Amino acid sequence: MEFLTSLATEAITKLGTLVVRATVDQFKYVIHHKKIVADLKEEHERLKKMKTALERLVEEDGRRGVEINDDVKGWLKKVQDIDAKLEGIYAKEDEANKQKKCSNLASKYSVGKQATKNARNIEGLIKDKEEEYKSIITSLPKSPPKFGPLFTQDIKALGSRKEILKKVMEKLKDDKVKRISVCGLGGVGKTTLAMEVINNVETSKLFDKFAFAAVSQDPDYEKIQMEIAAMLQYNLEGKTMQVRAAELHKHVTGEAKSVLIVLDDIWHHDLDFKLLGLPSLEQQQQRCKILFTSRDKKVCQSMECVQENIIEVPVLTEPEDWHLFREMAGDVVDQPGIKNTAKEIAKECGGLPLALVVVARALAKEEDKHAWIDACNQLKSSPSSSFPDMQKLVYSRIEKSVSFLQSEEQKRCLWLCGLYPEDFDIPVESLLRHGMGMGVFKVGGALWKARSHVHTLILQLKRCFLLLDSAKPGCVKMHDVVRDAVISIENGFLIQDVAKLKSTEERKLDHIQAISLVLDDTKELESDSEYPALQLLQVRSKSKDCNPWPEHFFQGMSKLKVLGMENLCIVPPLPSLSFQAMTNLHTLRIEYCDVGDISVIGKEFPKLQVLSFAYSNIEALPTQIGELSSLRLLDLTGCNDLCFISTDVFKRLTQLEELYFGVENFPWIHHKDVLEELKSLANHMKVIEIKVSKVEILPEDLTFKSLVKFWVYIVPHSFIKREEYFQSNMLQMKSTNYISIENSSTIKELFKKCEVLVLEDVKFLNNVYQLDEREYPFANLKDLKINSCPDLQCLSGGNILLNLVNLKLMELPSFSGFSEVNDMEETTQPPNNNELGIMAVTKKLFTCRWLYRFPKLETILLEDCESLEMVFDLQGCTSQLNGLFPQLKEIKMDRLSNLIDVWGNAPNCVYGFQNVMSLSISRCNSLKHAFTPAIVKAMAMLENLEVKSCELMESLVGDEGRDEEHEEGDGYKVKIISFEKLHSLILGDLSNIEIICPSSWDLNFPSIRKLQIGLCPKLKISSLLTPHEVHEKLHNNLSSASDDSPFEESHPRKQSFGCTSFCSNLIPYKNTSEKSSKVDEYVPSYSERKLGMSRMPHLQEFDIYKCELHDKVLLQEGDHQRIMNFPTLKGYLFTKLTSLTMEHCNNIFVLLSLSALRTLECLEKLEVMRCKNVEQIISQEELETSENKLMFPKLRSLVLWGMLNLKAFCQDSCLLDFPSLRKLEIRDCPKIKVFSGGSCHTPKLEDVQITGPHGSNNIQNVDLNAAIQGFKAFEALHESEIPRWSVLCNEDKFSYFTKTTELAIEKFHKMAVLAPSNEIHALQHLRELDIQECETLVELFESERGTVANNVYEVTYKLQRLGLIELPRLRHIWLPNIVRLVNFKMLTSIEIQGCGSLKSVLSESMAKSLVKLQQLYVVNCAMIEEIVTMDDGGTQLKTLLPNLEGLYLEDLPKLECVCSRVHHEYDILLCDDDKEDKGIRHLNNNSKQQIEVSFPQLKDLYLSGVPRLKSFCPGAYDYDIMLDEHTQITNFPNDNVTVTVTTPKLDYVSSSFGSMRTSGKRRDVNLTIHYLLHRMKYKEELQQLETFRCITEQHQYQHLLGYITRETELEVERCQKLLTCVPSNMMHLFHLVYTIRVEQCECLEEIFESNDYGGPGTQLQNLYLGCLPKLKHIWRNHASISGFENLGHLTIRECHELKFVFPDVSVAKSLPRLRRLEVEKCNKMKEIISSNNNNSIQKKGAKIIFPLLEIIALEKLSSLSCFCSRYLHFELPWCWYITIKKCPKMETFCFGTVYTPKLETLQVEEKEIGRKEDVNEVIKEEFSMAFFDSRNLFIRCKLNPGRGSELSIQIWMQCVDDNRKYV
């Protein structure tokens, strides 16, 4: 029994041991599951290595044809199965680690057990092949080399390079792309980029294999083959090239794995792929891709790369080049003396990475700033010599590119570009003209053919990246480094400036062929230099100062063929003797120059072929120009001063092919003979540009049948200027009528080749088809712009406008579209006006018959076409051939008030509009929908959509037609509307829009980047954001809930879908009630989110303004509490969002969820403003678990503004991490208590601004919670009488207050003292202090009332700006003894307003201590008596406020002075010792004391509303004692004490009633203020004078001299004895007067006496003359009006003896700033500009320009006949207003032409004429017309001035029926 017991005991013990051991083993799976999995992963890695080695062996055997052992195959299969199992185990392990500790024991147990089992299996597999693995590893070929990351971190930080790398990687991932090219300039980083691509491929395992080979300029095929084979691990040793090629081709094409081959630096177009062993494009498999790099885009194209797969690598932009340079050079560049120079050096490298790296590394350790300066200078002059590596690495590459150019023409073209300065926009036309002159371009025939050839050369050089595109039309650019390299090639071909020219003169100049000079003030030309080989000379100046030309400058240039001069002042003209040697000159360009006589050009250059005066100020084309018998091109573009052409000039230019006559206001009406001469050139003229004002000016039989290019402008004023010489043929007609056009054969001929047609204000034009009556009208038309043609009804015709590219229709009230005519397709005849009656007025722009007639149309702009009701009528359009509008890219519609449909009658499927990229609709108030679903599908390329201010708009997409349907699992059919390529969507001011699309459709925006919605109060924004699947799953969960669930739908399913509530779409609703638990069952998985649960997965910018964001679909009424706890925006919707702005959205409570935060990794800007119900920005309540850390990794700016219920950014207790935050603004958020329930990490935060009802703080470097809590504590002080700042500082454990830099205190209604003496130190850190509306504040800074102890040290405060606003009881800012305690020497600005109890601002001691104060404003302080109160004692020299620049005193009724003298009672004699004040008494040298108060920097002094002010510093002073300089004063009152207030920089004292100039050496402001305050007294004394000479000649009037020299607004009124206002010998005293007003002086005969005054010009700006009955001259007998360049306003009234205003027409040049001219009630005024001056230098027909004259008003001038009776042409380029009233004798404005391009208002008598009318014509018509009017007939009789008494009678008949007129 004992045995059995013992046996049982032992058995039980062993069983227990086994059970315990088994139990322990089971617990190990749970406890040690992490270690078990870690060990498993380690063994798994060993297994993977063995598998890889064995696979490589199998692969090699397969290539050799060796059969693979079944054992090996089985082993590999087992490993593959293991891999699949382990992926599941690893996933379970990750999931178990994320779950709560108490809920994941089962998962951990399962993971541990499975991991243990699989570890044993792996161990067995390893043992099976361990020995075999050791032998395999030694026999396998070497692995391909690893490139590693080629991009340094510095280059990776460059945005441009990141984008390019990203683009290349996307192309490599695209299965449709087989070949990719990367091209760019040598040294731009193509090879580095290619190697980085390989590194990324290797890291990401995108390709199984890859190879890299450098091809270079001379490709070594054998080397390339071996490099590719080695990297692909193919053994090709010992085989011929052909065999290697065959095997390589076999391996690449037959490879089962994916392969990437990179061929770097390809130069040739004919690289032999077959010889290399690479497949052709047709043979290339999808798994094989080839990447090329090249310097030539054309080479890339020859590699069979399509354009979209050619990726250009540009140079670095300006911020990026400095970043790279700085990182390469190191911290040395941040040193103050080096940084600016380093930036200049980086700029010289032109953004070329290789150059930046070379130069930066060469200077990396250099700390001497002089070495940097020297390096910069050398880099500018000779970079290759100063940096040897630049020549070796940079220039050598570019030189190689240049030498590889195919033709000599390309090289010479490149050299011509090198003539221009760095970063210059090089005109291609100048290259053509230079090249033709030098014979560079070997193109025979016409110049236009050579122009095409040059453009081809430029394109070829761009493809090689030796030239760059320019933003300026018609220009190219050359990279600075390329330019330097080109200049250095071959014997110093180019010389760039005068300095180089002078240094070269010491050597032989035989080889110099081209010189480019840049002149400035320091560089002058030299003569007597020999340049025997010089062919091209180009000279330009930085400024248009007169450049003296040496007399024999051109003598040594006998072979010169091209001479270009730009921006020069060539006065006097170039001497004929200098030109005599240049008989071989072919091209002469004198552009943007001031020139004199040009007749010498016609005499000296018999071989001249190209002559350009573009934008020069030539006034005449002399007859000598006609002697240029070889001239082929004449360019007068922009020669707007040109007004005369000699007869027979054009007639003799028999070889002329191109004429550019784009002159704004040439008087063609007086040069019709010149136009007649053009007839002789018409047959061989190839290019013409000409501008005339009317069609009638052109000769009827002037036809240009050989024209290739033309730009003809028939406009009265401004025209559309040609931007380049290769622009399309343009015809612009403005302010004309159909009859005139119909009668012009010239215009009809131009229609045949017209490419751009602009019609503006063309009357009587019903149909554009009327203009061209040919069988195929407007066959070449590309651009059509029609504006303000009131009679235009339609565009109609047969095959009209087949080549149209751009269509712009604006302000066409009657226009009804492209209308139909009966049998239109059968007839080719244009409809006449009678036929218009049978035309179908459809009010549709394009009817179905017109839709297919615009295959090339790209742009449609419609504006103010009131009659249009539909744009595209798609009824019956079902053809798929080419589609509708296949090239249309942009549509813009504005103010189409009756538009009902954009796309009307759309079928279910539309073929067309596939390339539309931009659509804008605005102010179309009858439009309800923008699209149909079929149209959305058709517009697959739409990128930008903007819809604004359409009052009736209900939805973007209307419910018409059907689209694609996708069937879901339950059989429900979902119809999809997808804006596939849309990048930007802007919806604004759409008061009725509710939904985007119908409720039966689902909506997607897969590519959108920007979403902006504003003022759309009814829009359900949720329908934009989440796709159908989310709605369906949530809907199904809700539907399956119990019947009494609170989530009942308030509308049927059909009504709710597509316009569901914002909350229902974006919030995963939860409820503690079991009845609604099924709502929580659906939570999007990570994979679902990744696949795009958002409609807008790429959204970057989201902006919502005034959208209510509310609906009640899933929530019952009153269930708002549930909304308050859940976030508005879910995270998976906005994974790429960078900017989020929400404003005035009052129905949201929480903005972001935690899930949103996890995915908002790109968010940089977050602004939430005026959303009054938001309580917190982030909420974690929707999750079961909380996170310890929430991060906004890229957020830089955060603004919370006007959030009335905001309690915190996040109330949960977690760490908020803002690693990039730099700016935080919290404004008007009264309920916010903390920023976060936890702590905040903001390492880069620099600026925190918090604003509340009682002030604002600007804090630096402080914890956010501390900032808010501190601000709340600060606001709590508003109840205190005396704030205890020190207590606040001591209790503030976060040091909030000590870090506040800006403090604003508002409405502290109990505060009496801001800072007691023992509290002042608490404010010493403040930089800005503003105090407003504290009505109880009495004292600002309290100081000790008694004596300050000696041991108290002065503390310097940081305060810079102090503002005191509306403090009615404030009596003291600071008491005098406060300067013993504090120092405010940093203070720069003080502003005081509305402080009614304050009597003074500063004490003398305080004023002296404010050494940096610059601005002082004191406004509306009723009790202020003085600004600075002087202390007791004092010194002789008092410099107060040494840096005060501005003093502004306004509305201070009791102010008596600025600085007071408390203890000095005396009468002072102040004397002004100006040099011009001869005769003023000076102080005796024996005077006892002189006190000087100085404000050395004061520049602005403004006084207004200071009635008691007597002086700046007080004291009795007889200002009127003015004796001659020899009189000595012997008796002074009060011990001879004098006071002077010196303001050496103050020019004027300004006030509300005028200003006055300071005068004298010291500029005593006391004296100036005296004159300012007593100006009425002196004006009365002036009335007693017979002449102003009395002021200097008679003793009793000498005191007026001080007044005259200071006055800026001189009023001469009622001076009844005065004959001359300003005598000739006193002009110098008036030269600083701004305004002169002379009125009611009965005897005055002249204003400015004739003189030879040669002093400085006056500052006179305004001259008013009124009631001067005997005035005869303003300027008398002046050959010209000199010295009045600043006169801007001239008004003359009631000067009845005045016969003219200006003595000569030269006034236009003498008064360049005249803006306003008014003449009224001058009975004898005959003309404004006199024509009686026989000495006038202006010739008949000259052009007179008033460059700035804006307003001309002529009224009640009974004798006025015209503005000027001489035969002249007037230009008024800025005149916008002309009024002429009651001038009965006025026949015309002038007898030449009048050019007024800006004229808006022309008023004749009481009639306001249209602004587009001709001034002369209107005046002639209104003032010399007699009417005989009847119902249908009136007779117009018009006297034609200048034609004797000839009477011209025109009889006009008006047909009432059709409202047409006949002559």
Side-chain angles (χ1 to χ4, degrees), residues 1037-1145:
N1037 287 334
L1038 292 172
S1039 299
S1040 62
S1042 59
D1043 295 336
D1044 57 348
S1045 170
F1047 296 96
E1048 294 181 358
E1049 297 189 33
S1050 58
H1051 301 283
R1053 171 77 181 96
K1054 184 176 180 180
Q1055 295 295 323
S1056 65
F1057 193 85
C1059 58
T1060 50
S1061 72
F1062 188 82
C1063 299
S1064 68
N1065 283 316
L1066 305 182
I1067 302 174
Y1069 295 103
K1070 300 185 300 183
N1071 194 296
T1072 54
S1073 171
E1074 294 180 1
K1075 296 178 181 179
S1076 60
S1077 61
K1078 290 188 178 182
V1079 178
D1080 299 320
E1081 291 179 6
Y1082 174 66
V1083 177
S1085 68
Y1086 177 77
S1087 60
E1088 286 177 313
R1089 299 175 189 177
K1090 188 174 181 181
L1091 289 174
M1093 294 201 59
S1094 170
R1095 301 184 191 275
M1096 304 179 179
H1098 299 285
L1099 188 65
Q1100 296 177 357
E1101 183 179 343
F1102 190 13
D1103 189 350
I1104 306 179
Y1105 173 71
K1106 282 195 174 180
C1107 296
E1108 294 302 324
L1109 306 178
H1110 70 91
D1111 193 7
K1112 299 174 183 176
V1113 178
L1114 293 182
L1115 292 178
Q1116 294 178 343
E1117 293 188 25
D1119 201 10
H1120 298 292
Q1121 185 62 37
R1122 220 170 299 159
I1123 305 178
M1124 296 173 61
N1125 295 328
F1126 298 103
T1128 300
L1129 304 181
K1130 295 299 295 181
Y1132 52 82
L1133 300 178
F1134 308 106
T1135 57
K1136 296 185 179 180
L1137 197 67
T1138 60
S1139 174
L1140 175 59
T1141 302
M1142 301 190 75
E1143 186 172 1
H1144 282 294
C1145 299

Side-chain angles (χ1 to χ4, degrees), residues 1431-1445:
D1431 299 338
D1432 293 339
T1435 59
Q1436 289 187 349
L1437 178 64
K1438 296 182 179 293
T1439 301
L1440 298 177
L1441 306 174
N1443 282 294
L1444 185 68
E1445 296 180 359

Side-chain angles (χ1 to χ4, degrees), residues 152-159 161-162 316-330 333-334 342-343 346-347 356-357 360:
T152 64
Q153 288 301 118
D154 313 308
I155 298 178
K156 283 183 178 179
L158 304 178
R161 292 322 186 243
K162 286 166 62 177
L316 299 178
T317 58
E318 194 166 333
E320 291 181 333
D321 63 356
W322 169 243
H323 175 83
L324 179 59
F325 185 89
R326 185 180 180 278
E327 294 301 324
M328 292 293 104
V333 299
D334 291 328
K343 286 188 174 182
K347 189 176 181 181
L356 288 162
V357 172

